[in-house]
PDB file of all heavy atoms in Angstrom:
ATOM      1  N   LEU A 201       0.918  -1.204  -0.036  1.00  0.00           N
ATOM      2  CA  LEU A 201      -0.008   0.043  -0.007  1.00  0.00           C
ATOM      3  C   LEU A 201       0.882   1.194   0.086  1.00  0.00           C
ATOM      4  O   LEU A 201       1.813   1.351   0.770  1.00  0.00           O
ATOM      5  CB  LEU A 201      -0.910  -0.032   1.216  1.00  0.00           C
ATOM      6  CG  LEU A 201      -2.032  -0.958   1.266  1.00  0.00           C
ATOM      7  CD1 LEU A 201      -2.637  -1.190   2.640  1.00  0.00           C
ATOM      8  CD2 LEU A 201      -3.188  -0.571   0.168  1.00  0.00           C
ATOM      9  N   ASP A 202       0.546   2.250  -0.887  1.00  0.00           N
ATOM     10  CA  ASP A 202       1.361   3.440  -0.891  1.00  0.00           C
ATOM     11  C   ASP A 202       0.563   4.478  -0.091  1.00  0.00           C
ATOM     12  O   ASP A 202      -0.593   4.766  -0.281  1.00  0.00           O
ATOM     13  CB  ASP A 202       1.456   3.921  -2.390  1.00  0.00           C
ATOM     14  CG  ASP A 202       2.528   3.090  -3.111  1.00  0.00           C
ATOM     15  OD1 ASP A 202       3.459   2.801  -2.411  1.00  0.00           O
ATOM     16  OD2 ASP A 202       2.475   3.164  -4.359  1.00  0.00           O
ATOM     17  N   VAL A 203       1.412   5.148   0.817  1.00  0.00           N
ATOM     18  CA  VAL A 203       0.877   6.255   1.615  1.00  0.00           C
ATOM     19  C   VAL A 203       1.958   7.315   1.508  1.00  0.00           C
ATOM     20  O   VAL A 203       2.451   7.638   2.667  1.00  0.00           O
ATOM     21  CB  VAL A 203       0.446   5.861   2.933  1.00  0.00           C
ATOM     22  CG1 VAL A 203      -0.922   5.119   3.058  1.00  0.00           C
ATOM     23  CG2 VAL A 203       1.568   4.878   3.716  1.00  0.00           C
ATOM     24  N   PRO A 204       2.265   7.895   0.454  1.00  0.00           N
ATOM     25  CA  PRO A 204       3.456   8.721   0.353  1.00  0.00           C
ATOM     26  C   PRO A 204       3.467  10.047   1.249  1.00  0.00           C
ATOM     27  O   PRO A 204       4.483  10.512   1.606  1.00  0.00           O
ATOM     28  CB  PRO A 204       3.542   9.174  -1.244  1.00  0.00           C
ATOM     29  CG  PRO A 204       2.115   8.836  -1.696  1.00  0.00           C
ATOM     30  CD  PRO A 204       1.697   7.721  -0.873  1.00  0.00           C
ATOM     31  N   PRO A 205       2.252  10.558   1.585  1.00  0.00           N
ATOM     32  CA  PRO A 205       2.278  11.720   2.571  1.00  0.00           C
ATOM     33  C   PRO A 205       2.815  11.415   3.949  1.00  0.00           C
ATOM     34  O   PRO A 205       3.204  12.272   4.635  1.00  0.00           O
ATOM     35  CB  PRO A 205       0.844  12.144   2.608  1.00  0.00           C
ATOM     36  CG  PRO A 205       0.126  11.505   1.464  1.00  0.00           C
ATOM     37  CD  PRO A 205       0.841  10.249   1.214  1.00  0.00           C
ATOM     38  N   ALA A 206       2.743  10.080   4.316  1.00  0.00           N
ATOM     39  CA  ALA A 206       3.153   9.696   5.583  1.00  0.00           C
ATOM     40  C   ALA A 206       4.612  10.012   5.918  1.00  0.00           C
ATOM     41  O   ALA A 206       5.496   9.802   5.129  1.00  0.00           O
ATOM     42  CB  ALA A 206       3.118   8.136   5.857  1.00  0.00           C
ATOM     43  N   LYS A 207       4.852  10.710   7.029  1.00  0.00           N
ATOM     44  CA  LYS A 207       6.147  11.336   7.291  1.00  0.00           C
ATOM     45  C   LYS A 207       6.650  10.869   8.694  1.00  0.00           C
ATOM     46  O   LYS A 207       7.793  11.172   9.031  1.00  0.00           O
ATOM     47  CB  LYS A 207       6.350  12.761   7.217  1.00  0.00           C
ATOM     48  CG  LYS A 207       5.284  13.649   8.006  1.00  0.00           C
ATOM     49  CD  LYS A 207       5.388  15.057   7.740  1.00  0.00           C
ATOM     50  CE  LYS A 207       4.575  15.858   8.674  1.00  0.00           C
ATOM     51  NZ  LYS A 207       4.669  17.371   8.368  1.00  0.00           N
ATOM     52  N   ASN A 208       5.783  10.399   9.537  1.00  0.00           N
ATOM     53  CA  ASN A 208       6.129   9.867  10.960  1.00  0.00           C
ATOM     54  C   ASN A 208       5.598   8.419  11.064  1.00  0.00           C
ATOM     55  O   ASN A 208       4.443   8.093  10.612  1.00  0.00           O
ATOM     56  CB  ASN A 208       5.501  10.726  12.006  1.00  0.00           C
ATOM     57  CG  ASN A 208       5.977  12.159  11.887  1.00  0.00           C
ATOM     58  OD1 ASN A 208       7.112  12.436  12.021  1.00  0.00           O
ATOM     59  ND2 ASN A 208       5.018  13.105  11.878  1.00  0.00           N
ATOM     60  N   ALA A 209       6.456   7.590  11.735  1.00  0.00           N
ATOM     61  CA  ALA A 209       6.047   6.345  12.029  1.00  0.00           C
ATOM     62  C   ALA A 209       6.333   6.038  13.513  1.00  0.00           C
ATOM     63  O   ALA A 209       7.438   6.296  13.911  1.00  0.00           O
ATOM     64  CB  ALA A 209       6.709   5.145  11.146  1.00  0.00           C
ATOM     65  N   ILE A 210       5.448   5.469  14.305  1.00  0.00           N
ATOM     66  CA  ILE A 210       5.628   5.131  15.697  1.00  0.00           C
ATOM     67  C   ILE A 210       5.461   3.555  15.708  1.00  0.00           C
ATOM     68  O   ILE A 210       4.314   3.187  15.461  1.00  0.00           O
ATOM     69  CB  ILE A 210       4.682   5.870  16.602  1.00  0.00           C
ATOM     70  CG1 ILE A 210       4.678   7.321  16.377  1.00  0.00           C
ATOM     71  CG2 ILE A 210       4.902   5.509  18.113  1.00  0.00           C
ATOM     72  CD1 ILE A 210       3.588   8.140  17.226  1.00  0.00           C
ATOM     73  N   ILE A 211       6.503   2.875  16.203  1.00  0.00           N
ATOM     74  CA  ILE A 211       6.427   1.448  16.175  1.00  0.00           C
ATOM     75  C   ILE A 211       6.416   1.046  17.714  1.00  0.00           C
ATOM     76  O   ILE A 211       7.343   1.079  18.470  1.00  0.00           O
ATOM     77  CB  ILE A 211       7.668   0.871  15.571  1.00  0.00           C
ATOM     78  CG1 ILE A 211       7.671   1.388  14.069  1.00  0.00           C
ATOM     79  CG2 ILE A 211       7.636  -0.627  15.586  1.00  0.00           C
ATOM     80  CD1 ILE A 211       9.010   0.894  13.282  1.00  0.00           C
ATOM     81  N   LEU A 212       5.202   0.548  18.042  1.00  0.00           N
ATOM     82  CA  LEU A 212       5.035   0.007  19.421  1.00  0.00           C
ATOM     83  C   LEU A 212       5.456  -1.390  19.483  1.00  0.00           C
ATOM     84  O   LEU A 212       5.875  -1.921  20.516  1.00  0.00           O
ATOM     85  CB  LEU A 212       3.630   0.119  19.984  1.00  0.00           C
ATOM     86  CG  LEU A 212       3.280   1.531  20.487  1.00  0.00           C
ATOM     87  CD1 LEU A 212       2.828   2.456  19.459  1.00  0.00           C
ATOM     88  CD2 LEU A 212       2.240   1.394  21.560  1.00  0.00           C
ATOM     89  N   THR A 213       5.206  -2.155  18.351  1.00  0.00           N
ATOM     90  CA  THR A 213       5.462  -3.549  18.288  1.00  0.00           C
ATOM     91  C   THR A 213       6.184  -3.860  17.059  1.00  0.00           C
ATOM     92  O   THR A 213       5.839  -3.515  15.914  1.00  0.00           O
ATOM     93  CB  THR A 213       4.129  -4.296  18.296  1.00  0.00           C
ATOM     94  OG1 THR A 213       3.430  -4.124  19.442  1.00  0.00           O
ATOM     95  CG2 THR A 213       4.419  -5.839  18.102  1.00  0.00           C
ATOM     96  N   SER A 214       7.289  -4.633  17.143  1.00  0.00           N
ATOM     97  CA  SER A 214       8.163  -4.986  15.977  1.00  0.00           C
ATOM     98  C   SER A 214       8.420  -6.425  16.204  1.00  0.00           C
ATOM     99  O   SER A 214       8.823  -6.853  17.292  1.00  0.00           O
ATOM    100  CB  SER A 214       9.377  -4.200  15.751  1.00  0.00           C
ATOM    101  OG  SER A 214      10.053  -4.580  14.739  1.00  0.00           O
ATOM    102  N   SER A 215       8.494  -7.268  15.094  1.00  0.00           N
ATOM    103  CA  SER A 215       8.851  -8.638  15.270  1.00  0.00           C
ATOM    104  C   SER A 215      10.356  -8.823  15.341  1.00  0.00           C
ATOM    105  O   SER A 215      10.850 -10.012  15.714  1.00  0.00           O
ATOM    106  CB  SER A 215       8.254  -9.454  14.051  1.00  0.00           C
ATOM    107  OG  SER A 215       8.915  -9.035  12.917  1.00  0.00           O
ATOM    108  N   GLY A 216      11.126  -7.798  14.866  1.00  0.00           N
ATOM    109  CA  GLY A 216      12.604  -8.039  14.815  1.00  0.00           C
ATOM    110  C   GLY A 216      12.966  -8.660  13.420  1.00  0.00           C
ATOM    111  O   GLY A 216      14.208  -8.770  13.106  1.00  0.00           O
ATOM    112  N   ASN A 217      11.910  -8.851  12.587  1.00  0.00           N
ATOM    113  CA  ASN A 217      12.205  -9.359  11.186  1.00  0.00           C
ATOM    114  C   ASN A 217      12.795  -8.248  10.371  1.00  0.00           C
ATOM    115  O   ASN A 217      12.147  -7.214  10.182  1.00  0.00           O
ATOM    116  CB  ASN A 217      10.886  -9.902  10.550  1.00  0.00           C
ATOM    117  CG  ASN A 217      11.106 -10.476   9.244  1.00  0.00           C
ATOM    118  OD1 ASN A 217      11.839  -9.965   8.329  1.00  0.00           O
ATOM    119  ND2 ASN A 217      10.356 -11.559   9.011  1.00  0.00           N
ATOM    120  N   PRO A 218      14.024  -8.338   9.805  1.00  0.00           N
ATOM    121  CA  PRO A 218      14.513  -7.239   9.096  1.00  0.00           C
ATOM    122  C   PRO A 218      13.709  -6.809   7.866  1.00  0.00           C
ATOM    123  O   PRO A 218      13.602  -5.686   7.594  1.00  0.00           O
ATOM    124  CB  PRO A 218      15.906  -7.858   8.548  1.00  0.00           C
ATOM    125  CG  PRO A 218      16.227  -8.918   9.552  1.00  0.00           C
ATOM    126  CD  PRO A 218      14.888  -9.547   9.899  1.00  0.00           C
ATOM    127  N   LEU A 219      13.061  -7.770   7.138  1.00  0.00           N
ATOM    128  CA  LEU A 219      12.200  -7.388   6.073  1.00  0.00           C
ATOM    129  C   LEU A 219      11.033  -6.466   6.522  1.00  0.00           C
ATOM    130  O   LEU A 219      10.753  -5.554   5.834  1.00  0.00           O
ATOM    131  CB  LEU A 219      11.568  -8.750   5.345  1.00  0.00           C
ATOM    132  CG  LEU A 219      10.604  -8.487   4.285  1.00  0.00           C
ATOM    133  CD1 LEU A 219      11.338  -7.624   3.112  1.00  0.00           C
ATOM    134  CD2 LEU A 219      10.135  -9.823   3.688  1.00  0.00           C
ATOM    135  N   GLN A 220      10.433  -6.890   7.649  1.00  0.00           N
ATOM    136  CA  GLN A 220       9.333  -6.064   8.083  1.00  0.00           C
ATOM    137  C   GLN A 220       9.886  -4.600   8.579  1.00  0.00           C
ATOM    138  O   GLN A 220       9.208  -3.616   8.185  1.00  0.00           O
ATOM    139  CB  GLN A 220       8.759  -6.713   9.390  1.00  0.00           C
ATOM    140  CG  GLN A 220       7.520  -5.838   9.989  1.00  0.00           C
ATOM    141  CD  GLN A 220       7.083  -6.468  11.339  1.00  0.00           C
ATOM    142  OE1 GLN A 220       7.669  -6.202  12.442  1.00  0.00           O
ATOM    143  NE2 GLN A 220       5.896  -7.088  11.303  1.00  0.00           N
ATOM    144  N   TRP A 221      11.038  -4.477   9.081  1.00  0.00           N
ATOM    145  CA  TRP A 221      11.605  -3.271   9.408  1.00  0.00           C
ATOM    146  C   TRP A 221      11.790  -2.436   8.162  1.00  0.00           C
ATOM    147  O   TRP A 221      11.467  -1.333   8.136  1.00  0.00           O
ATOM    148  CB  TRP A 221      12.918  -3.472  10.140  1.00  0.00           C
ATOM    149  CG  TRP A 221      13.671  -2.206  10.342  1.00  0.00           C
ATOM    150  CD1 TRP A 221      15.025  -2.089   9.764  1.00  0.00           C
ATOM    151  CD2 TRP A 221      13.506  -1.070  11.033  1.00  0.00           C
ATOM    152  NE1 TRP A 221      15.512  -0.779  10.199  1.00  0.00           N
ATOM    153  CE2 TRP A 221      14.515  -0.184  10.915  1.00  0.00           C
ATOM    154  CE3 TRP A 221      12.318  -0.674  11.823  1.00  0.00           C
ATOM    155  CZ2 TRP A 221      14.481   1.065  11.501  1.00  0.00           C
ATOM    156  CZ3 TRP A 221      12.358   0.611  12.396  1.00  0.00           C
ATOM    157  CH2 TRP A 221      13.482   1.458  12.344  1.00  0.00           C
ATOM    158  N   VAL A 222      12.319  -2.954   7.023  1.00  0.00           N
ATOM    159  CA  VAL A 222      12.574  -2.319   5.848  1.00  0.00           C
ATOM    160  C   VAL A 222      11.203  -1.922   5.195  1.00  0.00           C
ATOM    161  O   VAL A 222      11.025  -0.802   4.777  1.00  0.00           O
ATOM    162  CB  VAL A 222      13.277  -3.259   4.847  1.00  0.00           C
ATOM    163  CG1 VAL A 222      13.286  -2.507   3.393  1.00  0.00           C
ATOM    164  CG2 VAL A 222      14.789  -3.459   5.303  1.00  0.00           C
ATOM    165  N   GLN A 223      10.159  -2.745   5.272  1.00  0.00           N
ATOM    166  CA  GLN A 223       8.889  -2.401   4.713  1.00  0.00           C
ATOM    167  C   GLN A 223       8.276  -1.274   5.592  1.00  0.00           C
ATOM    168  O   GLN A 223       7.761  -0.305   4.937  1.00  0.00           O
ATOM    169  CB  GLN A 223       7.989  -3.556   4.816  1.00  0.00           C
ATOM    170  CG  GLN A 223       8.310  -4.724   3.861  1.00  0.00           C
ATOM    171  CD  GLN A 223       7.644  -5.996   4.022  1.00  0.00           C
ATOM    172  OE1 GLN A 223       7.113  -6.247   5.139  1.00  0.00           O
ATOM    173  NE2 GLN A 223       7.616  -6.899   3.043  1.00  0.00           N
ATOM    174  N   ARG A 224       8.263  -1.208   6.823  1.00  0.00           N
ATOM    175  CA  ARG A 224       7.704  -0.143   7.510  1.00  0.00           C
ATOM    176  C   ARG A 224       8.465   1.194   7.435  1.00  0.00           C
ATOM    177  O   ARG A 224       7.896   2.238   7.314  1.00  0.00           O
ATOM    178  CB  ARG A 224       7.753  -0.671   9.171  1.00  0.00           C
ATOM    179  CG  ARG A 224       6.718  -1.613   9.341  1.00  0.00           C
ATOM    180  CD  ARG A 224       6.594  -1.992  10.803  1.00  0.00           C
ATOM    181  NE  ARG A 224       5.566  -3.015  10.946  1.00  0.00           N
ATOM    182  CZ  ARG A 224       5.233  -3.454  12.142  1.00  0.00           C
ATOM    183  NH1 ARG A 224       5.704  -3.077  13.300  1.00  0.00           N
ATOM    184  NH2 ARG A 224       4.160  -4.363  12.265  1.00  0.00           N
ATOM    185  N   ARG A 225       9.859   1.076   7.366  1.00  0.00           N
ATOM    186  CA  ARG A 225      10.547   2.226   7.007  1.00  0.00           C
ATOM    187  C   ARG A 225      10.202   2.850   5.775  1.00  0.00           C
ATOM    188  O   ARG A 225      10.023   4.008   5.449  1.00  0.00           O
ATOM    189  CB  ARG A 225      12.039   1.939   7.122  1.00  0.00           C
ATOM    190  CG  ARG A 225      12.970   3.108   6.844  1.00  0.00           C
ATOM    191  CD  ARG A 225      14.409   2.776   7.036  1.00  0.00           C
ATOM    192  NE  ARG A 225      14.878   1.518   6.179  1.00  0.00           N
ATOM    193  CZ  ARG A 225      16.054   1.041   6.088  1.00  0.00           C
ATOM    194  NH1 ARG A 225      16.963   1.498   7.024  1.00  0.00           N
ATOM    195  NH2 ARG A 225      16.311   0.021   5.325  1.00  0.00           N
ATOM    196  N   GLY A 226      10.029   1.890   4.643  1.00  0.00           N
ATOM    197  CA  GLY A 226       9.660   2.345   3.400  1.00  0.00           C
ATOM    198  C   GLY A 226       8.402   3.087   3.264  1.00  0.00           C
ATOM    199  O   GLY A 226       8.209   3.867   2.334  1.00  0.00           O
ATOM    200  N   ARG A 227       7.439   2.922   4.143  1.00  0.00           N
ATOM    201  CA  ARG A 227       6.182   3.504   4.086  1.00  0.00           C
ATOM    202  C   ARG A 227       6.235   4.945   4.278  1.00  0.00           C
ATOM    203  O   ARG A 227       5.392   5.724   3.874  1.00  0.00           O
ATOM    204  CB  ARG A 227       5.188   2.866   5.229  1.00  0.00           C
ATOM    205  CG  ARG A 227       4.832   1.494   5.018  1.00  0.00           C
ATOM    206  CD  ARG A 227       3.792   1.250   3.875  1.00  0.00           C
ATOM    207  NE  ARG A 227       4.387   1.240   2.533  1.00  0.00           N
ATOM    208  CZ  ARG A 227       5.155   0.285   2.084  1.00  0.00           C
ATOM    209  NH1 ARG A 227       5.463  -0.822   2.732  1.00  0.00           N
ATOM    210  NH2 ARG A 227       5.657   0.452   0.829  1.00  0.00           N
ATOM    211  N   VAL A 228       7.347   5.528   5.006  1.00  0.00           N
ATOM    212  CA  VAL A 228       7.401   6.920   5.299  1.00  0.00           C
ATOM    213  C   VAL A 228       8.491   7.663   4.489  1.00  0.00           C
ATOM    214  O   VAL A 228       8.753   8.786   4.623  1.00  0.00           O
ATOM    215  CB  VAL A 228       7.541   7.118   6.833  1.00  0.00           C
ATOM    216  CG1 VAL A 228       6.369   6.769   7.605  1.00  0.00           C
ATOM    217  CG2 VAL A 228       8.898   6.576   7.255  1.00  0.00           C
ATOM    218  N   LEU A 229       9.261   6.911   3.644  1.00  0.00           N
ATOM    219  CA  LEU A 229      10.345   7.492   2.955  1.00  0.00           C
ATOM    220  C   LEU A 229      10.049   7.889   1.539  1.00  0.00           C
ATOM    221  O   LEU A 229      10.890   8.585   0.924  1.00  0.00           O
ATOM    222  CB  LEU A 229      11.596   6.497   2.917  1.00  0.00           C
ATOM    223  CG  LEU A 229      12.116   6.107   4.285  1.00  0.00           C
ATOM    224  CD1 LEU A 229      13.359   5.247   4.057  1.00  0.00           C
ATOM    225  CD2 LEU A 229      12.410   7.197   5.138  1.00  0.00           C
ATOM    226  N   ARG A 230       8.786   7.646   1.068  1.00  0.00           N
ATOM    227  CA  ARG A 230       8.523   8.156  -0.289  1.00  0.00           C
ATOM    228  C   ARG A 230       8.333   9.632  -0.478  1.00  0.00           C
ATOM    229  O   ARG A 230       7.941  10.262   0.541  1.00  0.00           O
ATOM    230  CB  ARG A 230       7.096   7.506  -0.703  1.00  0.00           C
ATOM    231  CG  ARG A 230       7.045   5.951  -0.627  1.00  0.00           C
ATOM    232  CD  ARG A 230       7.790   5.358  -1.742  1.00  0.00           C
ATOM    233  NE  ARG A 230       7.712   3.909  -1.671  1.00  0.00           N
ATOM    234  CZ  ARG A 230       6.842   3.146  -2.178  1.00  0.00           C
ATOM    235  NH1 ARG A 230       5.922   3.855  -2.842  1.00  0.00           N
ATOM    236  NH2 ARG A 230       6.729   1.861  -2.198  1.00  0.00           N
ATOM    237  N   ARG A 231       8.865  10.107  -1.551  1.00  0.00           N
ATOM    238  CA  ARG A 231       8.747  11.558  -1.871  1.00  0.00           C
ATOM    239  C   ARG A 231       7.325  12.025  -1.915  1.00  0.00           C
ATOM    240  O   ARG A 231       6.396  11.231  -2.421  1.00  0.00           O
ATOM    241  CB  ARG A 231       9.512  11.909  -3.066  1.00  0.00           C
ATOM    242  CG  ARG A 231      10.957  11.987  -3.011  1.00  0.00           C
ATOM    243  CD  ARG A 231      11.394  13.228  -2.413  1.00  0.00           C
ATOM    244  NE  ARG A 231      12.866  13.252  -2.080  1.00  0.00           N
ATOM    245  CZ  ARG A 231      13.484  14.239  -1.473  1.00  0.00           C
ATOM    246  NH1 ARG A 231      12.751  15.222  -0.845  1.00  0.00           N
ATOM    247  NH2 ARG A 231      14.705  14.215  -1.365  1.00  0.00           N
ATOM    248  N   PHE A 232       7.029  13.184  -1.402  1.00  0.00           N
ATOM    249  CA  PHE A 232       5.746  13.847  -1.519  1.00  0.00           C
ATOM    250  C   PHE A 232       5.807  15.335  -1.332  1.00  0.00           C
ATOM    251  O   PHE A 232       6.814  15.759  -0.634  1.00  0.00           O
ATOM    252  CB  PHE A 232       4.843  13.300  -0.482  1.00  0.00           C
ATOM    253  CG  PHE A 232       3.389  13.613  -0.468  1.00  0.00           C
ATOM    254  CD1 PHE A 232       2.626  12.935  -1.417  1.00  0.00           C
ATOM    255  CD2 PHE A 232       2.798  14.638   0.196  1.00  0.00           C
ATOM    256  CE1 PHE A 232       1.232  13.244  -1.621  1.00  0.00           C
ATOM    257  CE2 PHE A 232       1.507  14.952   0.036  1.00  0.00           C
ATOM    258  CZ  PHE A 232       0.708  14.309  -0.893  1.00  0.00           C
ATOM    259  N   PRO A 233       5.147  16.125  -2.086  1.00  0.00           N
ATOM    260  CA  PRO A 233       5.250  17.537  -1.997  1.00  0.00           C
ATOM    261  C   PRO A 233       5.185  18.043  -0.619  1.00  0.00           C
ATOM    262  O   PRO A 233       4.366  17.783   0.182  1.00  0.00           O
ATOM    263  CB  PRO A 233       4.112  18.048  -2.943  1.00  0.00           C
ATOM    264  CG  PRO A 233       3.834  16.917  -3.866  1.00  0.00           C
ATOM    265  CD  PRO A 233       4.195  15.725  -3.085  1.00  0.00           C
ATOM    266  N   GLY A 234       6.281  18.829  -0.221  1.00  0.00           N
ATOM    267  CA  GLY A 234       6.375  19.384   1.093  1.00  0.00           C
ATOM    268  C   GLY A 234       6.974  18.601   2.134  1.00  0.00           C
ATOM    269  O   GLY A 234       7.251  18.961   3.239  1.00  0.00           O
ATOM    270  N   LYS A 235       7.248  17.243   1.801  1.00  0.00           N
ATOM    271  CA  LYS A 235       7.959  16.373   2.741  1.00  0.00           C
ATOM    272  C   LYS A 235       9.367  16.383   2.564  1.00  0.00           C
ATOM    273  O   LYS A 235       9.965  15.947   1.640  1.00  0.00           O
ATOM    274  CB  LYS A 235       7.376  14.959   2.681  1.00  0.00           C
ATOM    275  CG  LYS A 235       8.047  14.044   3.700  1.00  0.00           C
ATOM    276  CD  LYS A 235       7.181  12.690   3.829  1.00  0.00           C
ATOM    277  CE  LYS A 235       7.405  11.794   2.660  1.00  0.00           C
ATOM    278  NZ  LYS A 235       6.831  10.448   2.820  1.00  0.00           N
ATOM    279  N   GLU A 236      10.043  16.899   3.554  1.00  0.00           N
ATOM    280  CA  GLU A 236      11.580  17.046   3.534  1.00  0.00           C
ATOM    281  C   GLU A 236      12.315  16.036   4.164  1.00  0.00           C
ATOM    282  O   GLU A 236      13.458  15.662   3.759  1.00  0.00           O
ATOM    283  CB  GLU A 236      11.993  18.508   4.187  1.00  0.00           C
ATOM    284  CG  GLU A 236      11.405  19.677   3.481  1.00  0.00           C
ATOM    285  CD  GLU A 236      11.821  19.904   2.050  1.00  0.00           C
ATOM    286  OE1 GLU A 236      12.974  19.461   1.721  1.00  0.00           O
ATOM    287  OE2 GLU A 236      11.077  20.379   1.193  1.00  0.00           O
ATOM    288  N   LYS A 237      11.656  15.306   5.174  1.00  0.00           N
ATOM    289  CA  LYS A 237      12.259  14.247   5.939  1.00  0.00           C
ATOM    290  C   LYS A 237      11.187  13.514   6.599  1.00  0.00           C
ATOM    291  O   LYS A 237      10.128  13.894   6.732  1.00  0.00           O
ATOM    292  CB  LYS A 237      13.332  14.733   6.906  1.00  0.00           C
ATOM    293  CG  LYS A 237      12.725  15.454   8.047  1.00  0.00           C
ATOM    294  CD  LYS A 237      13.774  15.688   9.153  1.00  0.00           C
ATOM    295  CE  LYS A 237      13.241  16.397  10.397  1.00  0.00           C
ATOM    296  NZ  LYS A 237      14.200  16.612  11.468  1.00  0.00           N
ATOM    297  N   ALA A 238      11.578  12.252   7.090  1.00  0.00           N
ATOM    298  CA  ALA A 238      10.648  11.338   7.870  1.00  0.00           C
ATOM    299  C   ALA A 238      11.303  11.090   9.233  1.00  0.00           C
ATOM    300  O   ALA A 238      12.511  11.298   9.378  1.00  0.00           O
ATOM    301  CB  ALA A 238      10.435  10.121   7.026  1.00  0.00           C
ATOM    302  N   ILE A 239      10.501  10.797  10.173  1.00  0.00           N
ATOM    303  CA  ILE A 239      10.994  10.465  11.483  1.00  0.00           C
ATOM    304  C   ILE A 239      10.373   9.101  11.907  1.00  0.00           C
ATOM    305  O   ILE A 239       9.184   8.936  11.780  1.00  0.00           O
ATOM    306  CB  ILE A 239      10.595  11.565  12.483  1.00  0.00           C
ATOM    307  CG1 ILE A 239      11.244  12.877  12.101  1.00  0.00           C
ATOM    308  CG2 ILE A 239      11.192  11.049  13.930  1.00  0.00           C
ATOM    309  CD1 ILE A 239      10.897  14.123  13.032  1.00  0.00           C
ATOM    310  N   ILE A 240      11.149   8.239  12.484  1.00  0.00           N
ATOM    311  CA  ILE A 240      10.729   6.820  12.929  1.00  0.00           C
ATOM    312  C   ILE A 240      11.090   6.827  14.340  1.00  0.00           C
ATOM    313  O   ILE A 240      12.140   6.905  14.835  1.00  0.00           O
ATOM    314  CB  ILE A 240      11.477   5.730  12.059  1.00  0.00           C
ATOM    315  CG1 ILE A 240      11.123   5.839  10.544  1.00  0.00           C
ATOM    316  CG2 ILE A 240      11.056   4.483  12.682  1.00  0.00           C
ATOM    317  CD1 ILE A 240      11.882   4.943   9.790  1.00  0.00           C
ATOM    318  N   TYR A 241      10.014   6.636  15.146  1.00  0.00           N
ATOM    319  CA  TYR A 241       9.935   6.492  16.555  1.00  0.00           C
ATOM    320  C   TYR A 241       9.794   4.955  16.880  1.00  0.00           C
ATOM    321  O   TYR A 241       8.780   4.346  16.639  1.00  0.00           O
ATOM    322  CB  TYR A 241       8.998   7.167  17.296  1.00  0.00           C
ATOM    323  CG  TYR A 241       8.966   8.666  16.951  1.00  0.00           C
ATOM    324  CD1 TYR A 241       8.382   9.275  15.862  1.00  0.00           C
ATOM    325  CD2 TYR A 241       9.649   9.615  17.802  1.00  0.00           C
ATOM    326  CE1 TYR A 241       8.272  10.623  15.609  1.00  0.00           C
ATOM    327  CE2 TYR A 241       9.533  11.002  17.499  1.00  0.00           C
ATOM    328  CZ  TYR A 241       9.002  11.527  16.404  1.00  0.00           C
ATOM    329  OH  TYR A 241       9.000  12.795  16.172  1.00  0.00           O
TER     330      TYR A 241
END
């Protein structure tokens, strides 16, 4: 699923699976007008 405006991610639960980590990081790294950076908590 593409959600390019997303710029913050808060992770309360993670499996430790590297693939899941990459996928979740990828959800907030897409370019979108006005988005200069993303923050992952």
Side-chain angles (χ1 to χ4, degrees):
L201 290 168
D202 278 337
V203 280
K207 62 181 181 180
N208 296 306
I210 304 174
I211 302 174
L212 280 88
T213 298
S214 181
S215 70
N217 184 321
L219 178 59
Q220 183 187 76
W221 168 243
V222 170
Q223 290 168 342
R224 292 183 173 186
R225 182 174 57 179
R227 299 283 76 78
V228 297
L229 297 188
R230 301 289 180 87
R231 281 283 175 189
F232 192 78
K235 182 164 73 172
E236 299 297 327
K237 70 174 182 178
I239 304 178
I240 299 171
Y241 302 86

